[in-house]
Amino acid sequence: MQPHKLKQNHRIIGASILVTVSFILNKTLGYTWLTIMVMAASTLIAGIPIFVNAVRAIRYWIVGIDALVTIAVIGAWFIGEYWEAAAVTYLFMIGNYLESRTIERTKSAIQALLKLAPDTATVRRSGKEVTINPEEVLPGELVIVKPGEKISIDGTIVEGSAYINQSAITGESLSVHKAASDTVYSGTIIESGYLLIRADKVGEDTTFAKILELVEEAQDKKARTQKFLEKFSRYYTPLVILLAVVLFAVTRDIVMALTLLVIACPGALVISAPVSIVAGIGNGARQGVLFKGGEMLEKFSSVKMVAFDKTGTLTRGKPEVTRILTYGMPKEELLKIVAVGEAYSEHPLARAILSYADKELGRFDEKPTEVSYIPGQGISFIFEDKLVLVGNRKLLASRNIQLDVCESDLAEEELLGQTTVIIGHEQRVLGMISIADPVRKEAKQVIQRLKSSGIQRVVMLTGDNPRAAKAISDQLGIDETYSELLPQDKVRILKELQNKYGSVAMVGDGVNDAPALAAADLGIAIGGTGSDIAMETGDVVLLSGNVSGLAYGLDLSRATVRNMKQNISFAILVAILLLGGVLVKSVNLSYGMLIHEVSVLLVVLNAIRLRGFNTSLEEIK
Amino acid sequence: MTTKLYQLKTFSCPSCIAKIEKMLMKTKGIRSAEVLFNSSRVRVSFEEKEVGSQEIKNLIEKLGYQVIGEK
């Protein structure tokens, strides 16, 4: 590769010197044999790769831009326009060089992501530490990672603890602390600490590798605008060739016909949409918002209404103890009594209480006796020779325990949408514990941002009961709430909303709302670390694992579509001006080429601006 | 039938690379060829009995595009 690059640089330098010399000679001496010789040398140095490419393509009966330029150069020589020939080849060469260099920059965000891929892994094999290629790590092997190093596999921490920067996967730059039995991901970096990790997934199976593959694929899933432009250009080039032939036949003006050929490649137009899209997708991927293609950017930008799933999307999806109330005893004591009784229960509410007790009280060894489960009501057990009841109103009523003492507190909690378990002991109420699936802390702000960005309506679709749904929708400022829905009901309601409001985006965690995600105009899945289903089902995936990227995604999609439209209108304007300019003879061969190349560069440079787009991201986080 | 992805160096003119597609489609044994402009890749489906992967690589390179990887 190196000698090839060197050769290209030499060619550019050589051609630049020769074309400058010939320009000066032309101005001072005019067309002399020396001037023509220098121009010929310049044309050959810059033009040989073009001519070679033209011949290669023509062998397959394909007429590309190289062939058009070659015909134009030969034509120019034929009619004695030696300077034009030198200028056109030079501009074409330099233009192509600059284009490929700048196009690379639109992809720099994606390239930066690729660079995050781990390149080595240190594993413990038969007692020794060996450094190998990450692809060669076998599942189950122990991998050692030290500060500043990249984790090369998806795995479980066996030993050690560390602060880990997970931005490669989540887009979140704040480091997280992880210790034994936590899951860690390939592509993330240990900032401080030391880890011994058991490899679960390696190579292409890792979350990071899957994200990379999706981003690579996304770049070439074409936007509607792009497909249209490609169709257009398929007819445009032959049309211009035909026009050149007709023009020559009618006017006998070979210079004009040749000029038309040179400007025939609608470079700026064809490239206008893809460069914006690549830059937009790259920017999103770096910030944890994965667009699965150009079309998704277009769709997101025109969304009128956003529907949310509740559990796991607006809430964390895991019930937690939110409040403990006692009537005449310390909270710790009540918690302990309940935890002892619930220790063997598999009920989700029991698990919430146990994990809370685990945090607050630590270990305890007491055991209940005569534990019995009353379906739909709760449990009863004997602890320290007394009967304890843990459950709902029905359970306590069935044992004739009066609820007077806690009635007003209970009503208050219910109004907030909390699930409350009451603890009865002998003949009285000891207290109650409220459990709820807490709202994600960023949810409210994101919903407000969506509304201020012009989203007309924010809707919640949930399988949960109306009371819990209403409590959350009031808290978050949601416009419409539909509760007690089955997955197919969600699909039906989405259809109705689509008819009413237009384009609808559905946001969900992808587990039980896959049909709804597919039914919406745009399915946005909460994904990222360890959530393969979400990554597969969403059109857009929020890699951060929460909804914070939603407003950013909307803003970015709009900025990208705006950028694309700027590029397309500019490119069309240039094409019209060039065509008009050639027909009224104010654009000659080399000018045509210059304007053509400059317009392509401007379009690419405009797209590069998208790399810097990051408004209001920090504000949301 | 086998499908392979060939990674090329960054493309510059999108309308010109259409010739890679056309050339491949004219090659015996190739069922489909798609140039992925943005990621500078070519996806080719072909019958291994009729045409080899190395041969496809050579054809692309003969057209003037360096193949820097395949998978």
Side-chain angles (χ1 to χ4, degrees), chain A residues 352-392:
Chain A
I353 292 174
L354 285 173
S355 85
Y356 184 76
D358 201 44
K359 234 174 14 201
E360 296 293 309
L361 307 174
R363 277 178 58 88
F364 49 83
D365 298 317
E366 292 91 334
K367 286 193 171 63
T369 50
E370 292 178 40
V371 183
S372 69
Y373 301 90
I374 305 105
Q377 296 190 354
I379 63 169
S380 74
F381 56 90
I382 308 278
F383 180 54
E384 288 170 350
D385 302 326
K386 284 176 184 144
L387 176 74
V388 184
L389 300 168
V390 180
N392 56 17

Side-chain angles (χ1 to χ4, degrees), chain B residues 2-58:
Chain B
T2 320
T3 300
K4 277 206 164 173
L5 268 173
Y6 299 90
Q7 180 74 51
L8 312 188
K9 291 213 310 194
T10 308
F11 293 137
S12 49
C13 176
S15 62
C16 314
I17 49 151
K19 70 183 173 198
I20 301 180
E21 268 172 30
K22 286 190 199 165
M23 178 275 288
L24 289 172
M25 288 308 289
K26 284 177 187 168
T27 306
K28 195 169 163 272
I30 292 180
R31 294 284 170 268
S32 78
E34 186 189 1
V35 172
L36 307 168
F37 174 70
N38 293 324
S39 53
S40 314
R41 301 190 290 185
V42 187
R43 184 186 285 129
V44 188
S45 298
F46 56 98
E47 298 293 345
E48 248 173 319
K49 279 178 232 146
E50 294 173 47
V51 62
S53 177
Q54 188 59 40
E55 200 180 328
I56 294 173
K57 229 164 99 176
N58 292 344

